[in-house]
Amino acid sequence: MLKNMLMNRRYALWLGLGTLGAIGALAKGKAMYSSHKTQDFELAKNNFSIAGKASLKQRAAAKGLIYGAAIPRLYLSSDQKLAARLAQECGILTPEWELKWSAGHKPLRPSPDTFDFTAGDWMAKFARTHRMLLRGHTLVWHESLPTWFKETVNRQNAEQFLVKHIQTVVTHYAGQMHSWDVVNEAIEVKDGRSDGLRKTPWLEFLGTDYIDLAFRLAAEFDPKALLVYNDYGLEYDTSHHEAKRKAVLKLLERLKSRGVPIHALGMQSHMDGNEKRFNPKKLQNFLANVADLGLKIMITEMDVTDKKLPRNPVVRDRMVAAVYQNYLSVVLNEPAVTAVMTWGISDRYTWLSKFQPRSDGAAVRPLPLDSNFRPKLAWNAIARAFDKAPRR
Ligand code: G3I
């Protein structure tokens, strides 16, 4: 009896929970549907129509701007379709791995006293052959350091390694480089320093002046190249991005006040399709403050992670395109912005597949061309942004 009663109570409990669960799922689904409905409604307002058949590089050049992309040699040398579309759309090329200390399977710095320019030279030749400008990325970074770095470089010899690296690499490409990302990602406010500098081996061994030294060396060995400070996390209206914008501006002011040869700020612009905290006015003010220092601004690594967006590629593509449209319409209104580069050009090759995959396993769709190199709405959004941009 007791057992039956217990069974009935347990059954009743399961039934109740089940019903509650179903109501909850329905409500959640409805809420998601209605929020997507709202998003759909908002997105429906975006107009991605474009006129003519001009490529992105042609539309950019018509306004005195440059459009380009980053890609590793591994893909560029093995995928002819990629090579053709990249040459067709891009006026500038950033080797994604080849000019870092150590990235990919043919690193620039195999050992403490050797340099291997094979991969970098291949990329420079590709750019030359296709009449593209070339960007160097990056001379000084705390990531992609070779395995030998940790056990070899120390406080006593760090300056010698920094000087040797910049002198050898910048001299090797002198006259070929449109610009160098001299120092990459030197600010991390979460590290707690009053100057917002990231605690890297370079800071530990050489102090805050490592940044000044890097720029002075790059200018000495290639007086023609534009020298860029490159960083991410400057785009949104969040407390972290606001703090980072302040710290980056303070760094740029310090460098300029000391007569350090720095010419531009690189804003990586790795955007998040799910991030709604975007404040055009605040972004515009930041860009104007950087420009007031006499610096140019380059959008250096733009893409839009869609990992938290709906699975439906039609909805997802519209949401991603809206991010390109809304962001670029703000930044291209700042006359100091001279270039827009995406980090990759086709969804077939993007770092986000490995570093920011979708939990549902669907292929990510962050870039202007789809995985078969066909233009997506993101391509239209970038094209429209160039078409509407004031001429430089
Ligand atoms: O495929 C090779 C493998 O053959 C080799 O054995 C192995 C040895 O390390 O490397 C493998 O390639 C790795 C590649 O990702 C593919 O997984 C590279 O080492 C690794 O460096 C690379 O990660 C790159 C990352 O920077 C670190 O260098 C990403 O591709 C690249 O998109 C990413 O780009 C950074 C920018 O430089 C700075 N801004 C942020 C941006 C995204 O993180």
Side-chain angles (χ1 to χ4, degrees):
M1 176 67 169
L2 180 62
K3 195 168 161 240
N4 281 344
M5 278 176 65
L6 270 177
M7 282 302 282
N8 288 340
R9 280 173 57 119
R10 195 174 295 162
Y11 178 67
L13 183 64
W14 276 122
L15 191 64
L17 282 176
T19 316
L20 269 178
I23 292 166
L26 200 66
K28 186 162 176 283
K30 229 168 139 354
M32 277 177 66
Y33 178 73
S34 64
S35 84
H36 289 160
K37 280 309 291 170
T38 332
Q39 279 165 352
D40 287 358
F41 173 72
E42 275 164 20
L43 288 169
K45 283 186 296 185
N46 283 77
N47 174 357
F48 299 117
S49 62
I50 46 141
K53 296 209 175 311
S55 65
L56 293 181
K57 75 176 174 184
Q58 289 166 329
R59 292 171 195 266
K63 298 298 178 73
L65 290 158
I66 306 169
Y67 169 73
I71 200 78
R73 176 198 181 194
L74 180 67
Y75 310 140
L76 195 53
S77 60
S78 57
D79 188 330
Q80 296 316 311
K81 189 93 171 72
L82 167 68
R85 293 291 279 120
L86 196 96
Q88 182 182 13
E89 297 285 356
C90 297
I92 191 166
L93 171 67
T94 306
E96 191 167 339
W97 300 344
E98 294 71 20
L99 297 179
K100 293 172 178 173
W101 282 56
S102 174
H105 49 290
K106 283 211 43 82
L108 174 62
R109 297 301 309 272
S111 72
D113 44 21
T114 56
F115 294 78
D116 180 350
F117 289 108
T118 316
D121 289 354
W122 191 94
M123 295 296 275
K125 184 160 183 270
F126 181 91
R128 215 171 26 252
T129 309
H130 296 90
R131 290 194 299 284
M132 298 164 82
L133 300 169
L134 184 65
R135 286 202 82 237
H137 174 82
T138 176
L139 294 171
V140 182
W141 192 20
H142 59 285
E143 289 196 21
S144 291
L145 290 171
T147 44
W148 53 260
F149 188 94
K150 219 178 174 82
E151 68 245 14
T152 314
V153 182
N154 54 46
R155 200 179 298 276
Q156 287 64 43
N157 64 20
E159 181 168 339
Q160 171 208 332
F161 271 93
L162 185 71
V163 171
K164 179 93 176 119
H165 183 81
I166 295 177
Q167 176 173 11
T168 311
V169 177
V170 174
T171 304
H172 184 87
Y173 292 107
Q176 302 179 60
M177 281 298 172
H178 165 270
S179 51
W180 269 109
D181 285 341
V182 176
V183 174
N184 191 44
E185 304 176 8
I187 295 288
E188 178 43 86
V189 292
K190 290 176 184 164
D191 281 1
R193 287 176 52 99
S194 59
D195 56 14
L197 286 179
R198 184 189 297 270
K199 292 178 178 171
T200 72
W202 298 113
L203 179 71
E204 183 193 340
F205 296 148
L206 297 173
T208 57
D209 290 355
Y210 84 90
I211 299 173
D212 311 45
L213 175 61
F215 277 94
R216 291 188 195 284
L217 289 165
E220 181 184 345
F221 299 115
D222 187 351
K224 286 204 198 116
L226 265 173
L227 303 181
V228 185
Y229 171 71
N230 194 48
D231 215 331
Y232 66 91
L234 303 168
E235 301 81 17
Y236 286 110
D237 187 15
T238 63
S239 53
H240 184 227
H241 282 207
E242 184 60 27
K244 190 154 180 177
R245 283 191 289 269
K246 282 199 175 80
V248 165
L249 204 54
K250 215 162 72 175
L251 170 65
L252 297 175
E253 284 164 352
R254 181 176 73 102
L255 295 171
K256 288 296 284 182
S257 69
R258 294 175 167 190
V260 169
I262 176 171
H263 310 120
L265 168 66
M267 294 178 68
Q268 293 183 13
S269 309
H270 292 291
M271 310 299 282
D272 178 349
N274 198 48
E275 179 53 75
K276 300 286 169 271
R277 293 168 291 179
F278 176 64
N279 183 322
K281 196 82 203 93
K282 284 190 179 176
L283 180 61
Q284 222 151 12
N285 287 342
F286 173 69
L287 297 170
N289 290 337
V290 172
D292 287 348
L293 294 173
L295 295 173
K296 294 296 182 195
I297 300 163
M298 301 166 76
I299 306 304
T300 51
E301 307 183 11
M302 190 165 181
D303 50 23
V304 181
T305 180
D306 64 356
K307 67 185 287 189
K308 295 184 193 136
L309 297 184
R311 185 184 178 101
N312 178 326
V314 174
V315 175
R316 206 167 0 135
D317 283 358
R318 282 196 77 82
M319 297 173 91
V320 165
V323 174
Y324 279 103
Q325 188 163 67
N326 298 340
Y327 182 71
L328 291 178
S329 62
V330 173
V331 298
L332 290 177
N333 260 337
E334 168 49 64
V337 174
T338 59
V340 173
M341 286 156 282
T342 48
W343 203 246
I345 192 165
S346 157
D347 296 339
R348 182 181 293 190
Y349 305 107
T350 168
W351 69 290
L352 293 169
S353 301
K354 178 179 170 187
F355 290 81
Q356 300 266 354
R358 289 176 55 89
S359 53
D360 61 10
V364 295
R365 299 174 67 88
L367 288 166
L369 303 181
D370 70 14
S371 55
N372 293 312
F373 306 105
R374 290 177 304 230
K376 294 157 55 192
L377 283 181
W379 186 98
N380 289 41
I382 298 170
R384 261 176 83 88
F386 289 140
D387 292 349
K388 289 172 171 297
R391 186 164 184 21
R392 268 67 181 152

